[in-house]
Amino acid sequence: MTAEKPRKYSYLGPAGTFTEAALRQVPEAAGQVWQPVVNVSQALRNVTTGVSDAAMIAIENSIDGGVSATQDALASFGNLQIYGEYLVQVDFVLVSRPEVQLREVTTIAAHPVAYAQCRSWLEQHLPEHQHIPASSNAQAAADLFAEGTVIDAALAPPTITEHFELAVHGSELVDNPGAQTRFVLVGKPRPAGQPTGHDKTSLIIDLPEEKAGALLTLLEQFAARGVNLTQIASRPIGHHMGSYRFFIDAEGHIRDARLRHAVMGVKQYSPRVTFLGSYPRADRVQPKVDPNHTDAAFADAEAWVAGLIAGN
Ligand SMILES: O=C(O)C(=O)C[C@]1(C(=O)O)C=C[C@@H](O)C=C1
């Protein structure tokens, strides 16, 4: 018998990021090969080229909203699917090399999403500071030790002190306590799993241009079938001013009749629909399904129409 090849997982590195903490929530990833990368595009490229079997990426933050780099990368790569969703509670520490005092801090390295989450605290406590963008929260801390660095302090996950010797000038920093980042595990497309009763379906939908009420028509596809949406986010397509795509998360599974019919409605009207998968939601919340929109109700209606066609 040949041993099974270890699976490979890309994640935003280096060790110590929140993305790594999200990957730790995936039981199948334990003991497999973890591949740190420098950005989301690299993580997704690893999946499409077969370097990795899956990638963990941050998709939304409860303070800063959708992670635009992730949304744009998912739209441009195509041919990817979300396997699972994970939530990580986020707050930060402000750290420096041990000899640096807080009053000496003028430059602060931070991932732009992390910076946005602590903006008010920093403006209040270090009003003169300058933000230096870092590729991740753990990299911000690593940059404190780079040769010739101009960085005095970094915003990093609390576990960063396990990786470097640091002075901690502030902890539990975050403008809204209880902030969370939502991560998704992404791989190549595969057949849809079975509904769990607490699923979410993610879609990227390009809006037809110059059509009055285009957004309303899009939303009606879901509303008319009793499908609740948990996220509606728009990003420019980039061709020219005024062209948009929508990132939609809908409650339900592509195997649920109400969701399937809504997706068929969207497909008939949008120039481009990308199906990003149906997967169990991290909070395990079960949607309330109106009795008119259950699978049985759709089956009844179809049987009724079949009867009409048959002349019954
Ligand atoms: O994973 C990390 O630690 C990151 O640096 C990335 C990231 C993100 O891309 O949103 C993850 C979670 C935090 O909300 C801020 C930054």
Side-chain angles (χ1 to χ4, degrees), residues 227-246:
V227 176
N228 185 39
L229 304 181
T230 57
Q231 187 189 210
I232 312 168
S234 72
R235 290 287 301 154
I237 294 176
H239 298 155
H240 51 79
M241 195 66 89
S243 63
Y244 290 97
R245 58 172 58 108
F246 281 77

Side-chain angles (χ1 to χ4, degrees), residues 88-154:
V88 176
Q89 192 89 14
V90 285
D91 57 53
F92 299 87
V93 286
L94 182 73
V95 289
S96 70
R97 292 182 304 281
E99 72 280 9
V100 176
Q101 306 293 313
L102 184 59
R103 61 175 187 283
E104 296 168 326
V105 170
T106 57
T107 50
I108 300 174
H111 185 281
V113 174
Y115 184 73
Q117 289 169 265
C118 301
R119 199 188 304 271
S120 308
W121 189 92
L122 291 171
E123 279 169 4
Q124 198 186 334
H125 293 88
L126 294 160
E128 305 288 312
H129 77 272
Q130 186 196 337
H131 172 213
I132 313 244
S135 60
S136 78
N137 296 311
Q139 188 60 48
D143 288 347
L144 293 169
F145 299 93
E147 217 180 290
T149 188
V150 292
I151 296 164
D152 302 322

Side-chain angles (χ1 to χ4, degrees), residues 13 148 204 252:
I204 309 176

Side-chain angles (χ1 to χ4, degrees), residues 9-15 33-39 42 46:
Y9 294 86
S10 279
Y11 74 99
L12 184 69
V33 178
W34 292 24
Q35 301 167 310
V37 295
V38 291
N39 56 45
Q42 183 65 48
N46 278 356

